[in-house]
Amino acid sequence: MRISASLCLAALASASFVSAPASAQPAIKSAPITAATPPMGWNSWNFFAGKVTDKDIRAAADNLVATGMKDAGYIYVNIDDTWEGQRDADGVLHTNSKFPDMKALADYVHSKGLKIGIYSGPGSKTCAGYAASLGHEEQDAKLYADWGIDYLKYDECSFTGDVLEKQAPSDKAAQMRLMIAAYQKMGSALHATGRPIVFSLCQYGWDAVWEWAPGIGGNLWRTTGDINPRWDRIYAILSQQAGLEKYAGPGHWNDPDMLEVGNGKLSLEENWSHFAMWAMLASPLLAGNDLPNMKPEIKAILTNSDVIAIDQDRLGHQATRAYSDGEVEVWTRHLSGGALAIAILDAGDSRYSTHPFHLDLARLGLHGPQNGKDLKTGQPITLTNNMPIEIQSHDTLLVRIATPK
Ligand code: GLA
């Protein structure tokens, strides 16, 4: 069982309280929580997939700085699958030719004031067929720490065939116990390195991972299968997050997958809604776009500081779907200082101006006019009961109310 440093310190603090007078108490400073707010950064998979190289990662780091994304909070530069080479006779994993020197790359990313993430899995192979960590967990965790890695995405992939189907072919409950043990093994191995490494579980939400991941040291866990840059997929994933809000909080987050903002053929409204709703969900914000060629309107979305402030709100309360009216959905999120974020999303394409959406404030527990800020335009807005709101197909009205009544 991986026990968080803060829990250990709390236990130490209470133990010493029993045995020593108050005046003799050492000042105990609790360790910072890893991933106290949802991790923000960029990951290589959604744009580069298997083609990513050392050069691309350096360019991503350079561009996070040059575009202002680093200043907006995007700190992690995460290498996804396909960096792995072969193990040597001692079992030490080496990089492949696309990544000639991982330590030098980590040093470079750190020199920019950023952090670096890497990828593996509990099976013998990653999803792209490269070497993963089965039987080498401690060795790999130590290697990552030696390189200076700050974040690990740990992807199930071949673990099903390698272990679950071999060791418990027709016993789902036993398979899940094996899965939990495998993730716990890497969680403990990372913890044993003494380096704070964000532990990102990727097993597609199987067997209510949100119920057990925090207990084995998981800082985030994928709740669904893979995202792609299409509205129907993004909306399907969003829908599956309703009800999971109670599992999110500082240090442990639901992960509806990395951002596709700026990818594929998403419209501007879809890019905005994707970003706005992921922020409402207190989701990790890992951009996955082509940073050197980012269009200004995509940069404007990704660096919208009001939206990022919702995602990063220190209370870590994930949004709740308050109600829906056909294809229009209203989500709310309670923020620090008593503020409230309201997102009204038109997820479909069959509502026209002859029948705009009418906001029912009472269903949000609100009474009377609510003064707020429209976070897309930056302009003040007053929400009144039953007001007609026309929202374009796949667009979202995102409002922050400082003092809800
Ligand atoms: C799985 C994951 C993706 C990505 C690929 C890499 O599909 O869900 O996010 O990491 O593997 O092979």
Side-chain angles (χ1 to χ4, degrees):
M1 172 93 183
R2 188 180 173 212
I3 300 168
S4 77
S6 50
L7 274 180
C8 290
L9 285 170
L12 276 174
S14 61
S16 60
F17 181 77
V18 173
S19 56
S23 57
Q25 292 306 302
I28 293 178
K29 207 166 160 235
S30 55
I33 299 177
T34 302
T37 58
M40 290 179 65
W42 176 92
N43 172 292
S44 61
W45 187 254
N46 285 352
F47 182 73
F48 287 104
K51 295 200 179 80
V52 67
T53 64
D54 172 290
K55 197 164 150 269
D56 299 322
I57 297 297
R58 287 172 192 255
D62 294 344
N63 279 282
L64 285 179
V65 175
T67 58
M69 285 179 69
K70 176 192 164 200
D71 289 340
Y74 295 85
I75 290 299
Y76 290 95
V77 184
N78 291 353
I79 308 166
D80 207 279
D81 204 352
T82 78
W83 63 268
E84 310 86 343
Q86 307 294 324
R87 291 191 189 277
D88 64 22
D90 297 323
V92 177
L93 184 59
H94 293 265
T95 53
N96 63 41
S97 58
K98 296 191 297 150
F99 289 88
D101 186 340
M102 195 61 87
K103 175 86 175 77
L105 178 56
D107 289 347
Y108 183 80
V109 171
H110 288 151
S111 76
K112 303 272 161 183
L114 298 163
K115 298 186 178 214
I116 185 164
I118 211 163
Y119 168 100
S120 188
S124 64
K125 298 265 183 257
T126 67
C127 291
Y130 288 72
S133 297
L134 182 63
H136 297 275
E137 293 81 359
E138 286 86 3
Q139 198 171 24
D140 286 358
K142 183 153 186 325
L143 180 67
Y144 306 148
D146 289 347
W147 281 339
I149 296 294
D150 306 294
Y151 185 119
L152 173 69
K153 173 175 169 184
Y154 207 50
D155 197 349
E156 208 268 356
C157 304
S158 77
F159 188 72
T160 300
D162 289 340
V163 174
L164 302 185
E165 287 168 357
K166 282 198 183 126
Q167 293 186 25
S170 50
D171 184 344
K172 290 277 177 212
Q175 289 187 358
M176 284 305 150
R177 284 195 292 275
L178 287 166
M179 167 120 52
I180 294 169
Y183 277 90
Q184 178 160 11
K185 191 164 196 182
M186 183 50 95
S188 302
L190 293 175
H191 185 62
T193 67
R195 184 177 176 85
I197 298 176
V198 173
F199 187 30
S200 160
L201 278 66
C202 179
Q203 49 80 278
Y204 333 114
W206 289 349
D207 213 40
V209 58
W210 39 85
E211 290 181 5
W212 54 266
I216 57 101
N219 297 114
L220 59 151
W221 48 85
R222 280 272 296 280
T223 54
T224 68
D226 287 13
I227 198 167
N228 62 52
R230 290 175 51 97
W231 177 252
D232 53 359
R233 183 64 191 141
I234 289 167
Y235 178 63
I237 290 178
L238 170 67
S239 301
Q240 288 179 60
Q241 310 313 305
L244 297 185
E245 51 270 22
K246 68 179 175 197
Y247 301 102
H252 50 96
W253 308 102
N254 291 306
D255 174 12
D257 208 353
M258 305 170 294
L259 295 169
E260 292 283 13
V261 175
N263 288 343
K265 295 195 166 82
L266 293 173
S267 69
L268 203 53
E269 290 75 24
E270 291 167 344
N271 279 306
W272 162 258
S273 291
H274 175 24
F275 191 63
M277 293 312 300
W278 261 232
M280 286 292 281
L281 293 172
S283 164
L285 295 181
L286 295 173
N289 60 327
D290 180 10
L291 292 176
N293 297 301
M294 178 163 52
K295 294 194 175 123
E297 61 272 25
I298 296 302
K299 180 174 136 182
I301 291 174
L302 287 171
T303 56
N304 183 313
S305 56
D306 286 327
V307 181
I308 291 171
I310 290 181
D311 182 74
Q312 296 288 300
D313 187 82
R314 64 181 170 76
L315 294 183
H317 289 164
Q318 178 176 324
T320 300
R321 185 159 58 189
Y323 75 98
S324 57
D325 180 55
E327 293 172 316
V328 178
E329 302 188 354
V330 184
W331 294 67
T332 54
R333 178 171 173 182
H334 291 279
L335 303 168
S336 52
L340 182 72
I342 304 174
I344 307 171
L345 162 71
D346 182 351
D349 43 26
S350 53
R351 192 186 276 261
Y352 309 104
S353 53
T354 50
H355 285 80
F357 172 73
H358 288 84
L359 180 64
D360 185 346
L361 285 179
R363 293 182 77 172
L364 310 182
L366 301 173
H367 305 283
Q370 307 291 322
N371 296 323
K373 182 176 181 185
D374 176 337
L375 301 191
K376 188 196 265 190
T377 63
Q379 297 301 310
I381 185 171
T382 300
L383 300 178
T384 56
N385 196 38
N386 213 30
M387 73 189 281
I389 300 178
E390 199 181 329
I391 299 172
Q392 273 195 57
S393 174
H394 303 176
D395 202 358
T396 300
L397 173 65
L398 180 62
V399 176
R400 182 184 181 112
I401 315 273
T403 323
K405 297 176 285 230

